[in-house]
Amino acid sequence: MNKIVKRLETEFSKSPDLVIKKINLSIFKTMYLIYLETVSSSNKVNDYILKNIILKKDEINKNNISSYIAAPNTLEIKNVDECEFYLTNGFSLVIIQDKIYAIETRADISRAVSNSEVESSINGPKDAFTENIQINIGLIKRRIKSSTLKTESRTVGRKTLTNISILYFEDIADANLVNNLLKKIDTIDIDGIVDSSSLGFLLGDEENSVYPTFIETERPDNVATFLMEGKIAIVVDTSPFVLIIPAFFIDFVNPVIDNYNKSKNVNFIKILRISAFLISMMAPAIYIAIMNYNQETIPTNLLLNFAIQRGGVPFPTIIETLLMLIVCEILRESDLRFPLSYGSAISILGAIVLGEASVSAGIASPITIIVIAITFISSLTFTTIEINNALRFFRFVFILLSGLFGLYGITLGLFYFLIYTTTTNSFGKPYFAPISPFNKEYFNNTVLKKALRKDTRRSTLFTNKNIVKQKEDLWKKY
């Protein structure tokens, strides 16, 4: 017992929050209570352990001590090396003779459940995940009350010892995908994981694609929907975002919150959102191609207006467009980094002042300002930063090709975009699904929304088990 206490004192030297309390049960019996007061609750230590032990200390021995502890979670530790893990996770250690018990006395140091901020919506639930893994799993299980929802727990990080939970439906999810994911997690050897995105990058091979290959969501209702489709959720302690895999291109263009609107109404918005993606990606390139190479594609009067507006601008169209794009990217970055209370106001003011000053100074033409404004307004449709970064990558590719080859270059850019997207994978699944390869069920859930009564089958992209979600025949009786 003394060796164990001395070892813990050595391991946690220069840790003033380590509390070691020696309790004499009798003349010949001694017990040690050890905990970290920064992650453990002193009130729980007192209520769960000290009160009962002090009152019944004459009856306590190493074999029956767990009967006198009122904590909801008491474990016997067989390996001394596990003591560090339990101490740093808010457990208190009770050492009596040659036995060690870990009692859960975690302090409540997490924030309360709040409204979703990144993925806000008018309809649907408003609660969002927090930094506490137990609360996050509880928010998911509050919506899914099924014993087939399984949870696999892992610990990642030599220094952080971060708790990770992998959630999936045993009777729906692809077993091979689950096993491969668990193997990948088990092979991770890193000092620490402090956020879910770090784990996603390690699992998704971030260097292979500009696209995000996993979804980060703060909404428990989104996670519940994805799980019932056959996807897998990864909950990471200390992170308010849950990872969903696999993820496809269309998941970022048409989010799950569209399901809270009628299909006929939301399908127009879905088509508009896809159009906004194409406009944001290609509008500057089309403008450059028309002005430099393919003037015959627009009416003569309009071309003359463009030429008059560009009179006095000292830069070629491509340089002018790139300058304005870079300025807008700087404004967007400042908007992201500034506090919410005045970040947007500064960006709007900067855009108005710089745009007006550029036209007045003859640095940029009004039509260029209009094209760049349309480009960035279209990109604001997408809230995921990573998909906007991918959009920016393709936008500059299109600009380069159109500057070299005109509309022919834009055609080459479209081929490059399609080839790049269709050859990207997300955990072994084709990234451009359900368009290529075409999948009817998932197409009707993402690209266009099918009426809920007709949404009867799960997509075979994720599972070959338990395909039927509801029986359509029942509705035909009414």
Side-chain angles (χ1 to χ4, degrees), residues 185-291:
I185 293 175
D186 291 335
T187 56
I188 294 175
D189 187 10
I190 192 173
D191 278 346
I193 296 290
V194 295
D195 184 70
S196 59
S197 60
S198 300
L199 180 64
F201 295 146
L202 291 171
L203 295 174
D205 299 327
E206 62 172 318
E207 69 277 6
N208 293 334
S209 176
V210 298
Y211 285 119
T213 55
F214 56 87
I215 299 172
E216 286 186 285
T217 180
E218 63 174 349
R219 297 179 62 103
D221 56 320
N222 286 359
V223 175
T225 302
F226 285 127
L227 285 171
M228 288 187 288
E229 287 295 330
K231 295 189 178 185
I232 303 170
I234 304 176
V235 187
V236 180
D237 197 19
T238 71
S239 176
F241 289 90
V242 171
L243 303 182
I244 302 294
I245 62 169
F248 300 145
F249 168 79
I250 200 66
D251 292 329
F252 301 96
V253 177
N254 290 329
V256 178
I257 57 176
D258 287 346
N259 293 335
Y260 298 125
N261 298 298
K262 291 185 68 174
S263 57
K264 289 186 177 180
N265 297 332
V266 79
N267 281 337
F268 172 76
I269 303 299
K270 287 178 176 288
I271 295 171
L272 192 66
R273 204 179 287 126
I274 294 172
S275 301
F277 184 91
L278 297 175
I279 290 171
S280 181
M281 183 171 62
M282 294 191 297
I286 293 173
Y287 169 65
I288 292 169
I290 289 174
M291 296 302 296

Side-chain angles (χ1 to χ4, degrees), residues 258-477:
D258 287 346
N259 293 335
Y260 298 125
N261 298 298
K262 291 185 68 174
S263 57
K264 289 186 177 180
N265 297 332
V266 79
N267 281 337
F268 172 76
I269 303 299
K270 287 178 176 288
I271 295 171
L272 192 66
R273 204 179 287 126
I274 294 172
S275 301
F277 184 91
L278 297 175
I279 290 171
S280 181
M281 183 171 62
M282 294 191 297
I286 293 173
Y287 169 65
I288 292 169
I290 289 174
M291 296 302 296
N292 287 351
Y293 295 98
N294 305 97
Q295 293 90 348
E296 71 279 0
T297 57
I298 60 175
T300 305
N301 292 336
L302 184 61
L303 181 62
L304 289 174
N305 288 335
F306 286 175
I308 293 171
Q309 290 176 7
R310 293 206 73 254
V313 177
F315 305 111
T317 308
I318 185 171
I319 301 299
E320 177 190 8
T321 304
L322 286 174
L323 284 174
M324 291 298 101
L325 280 173
I326 291 171
V327 169
C328 287
E329 291 292 348
I330 294 172
L331 287 171
R332 171 182 283 177
E333 189 66 18
S334 67
D335 192 21
L336 290 173
R337 306 305 169 196
F338 266 74
L340 294 176
S341 56
Y342 55 89
S344 297
I346 290 177
S347 296
I348 293 170
L349 178 64
I352 294 173
V353 171
L354 286 173
E356 182 65 28
S358 299
V359 173
S360 300
I363 297 174
S365 62
I367 184 60
T368 302
I369 300 298
I370 292 172
V371 170
I372 299 303
I374 291 173
T375 299
F376 271 83
I377 290 172
S378 300
S379 69
L380 293 176
T381 310
F382 314 104
T383 58
T384 306
I385 294 177
E386 288 297 329
I387 201 67
N388 268 303
N389 292 338
L391 188 56
R392 178 176 56 200
F393 169 78
F394 286 110
R395 186 184 300 132
F396 281 102
V397 169
F398 273 93
I399 288 173
L400 178 62
L401 290 173
S402 67
L404 294 174
F405 307 109
L407 291 178
Y408 176 68
I410 292 177
T411 305
L412 292 177
L414 279 172
F415 277 115
Y416 175 73
F417 167 74
L418 293 173
I419 292 170
Y420 189 96
T421 308
T422 53
T423 54
T424 301
N425 289 320
S426 174
F427 297 89
K429 304 293 183 179
Y431 194 70
F432 210 40
I435 300 171
S436 177
F438 181 76
N439 182 272
K440 179 181 177 182
E441 291 80 11
Y442 203 61
F443 185 92
N444 290 330
N445 282 334
T446 53
V447 181
L448 296 174
K449 185 178 184 295
K450 199 174 185 179
L452 185 59
R453 289 186 177 184
K454 297 181 180 180
D455 185 17
T456 59
R457 297 174 64 84
R458 291 185 179 86
S459 172
T460 53
L461 286 169
F462 312 114
T463 181
N464 292 315
K465 302 179 293 184
N466 203 0
I467 296 294
V468 178
K469 292 194 289 187
Q470 64 170 322
K471 294 183 178 179
E472 187 178 3
D473 295 337
L474 295 177
W475 297 106
K476 294 179 179 178
K477 297 179 181 179

Side-chain angles (χ1 to χ4, degrees), residues 132-161:
N132 188 305
I133 189 171
Q134 292 180 321
I135 293 176
N136 292 345
I137 294 175
L139 289 173
I140 297 171
K141 291 194 172 183
R142 181 183 179 187
R143 290 166 168 81
I144 301 175
K145 303 172 180 66
S146 173
S147 60
T148 60
L149 179 62
K150 303 301 179 183
T151 304
E152 300 276 356
S153 298
R154 294 291 188 273
T155 302
V156 177
R158 294 188 295 263
K159 301 298 183 185
T160 59
L161 297 173

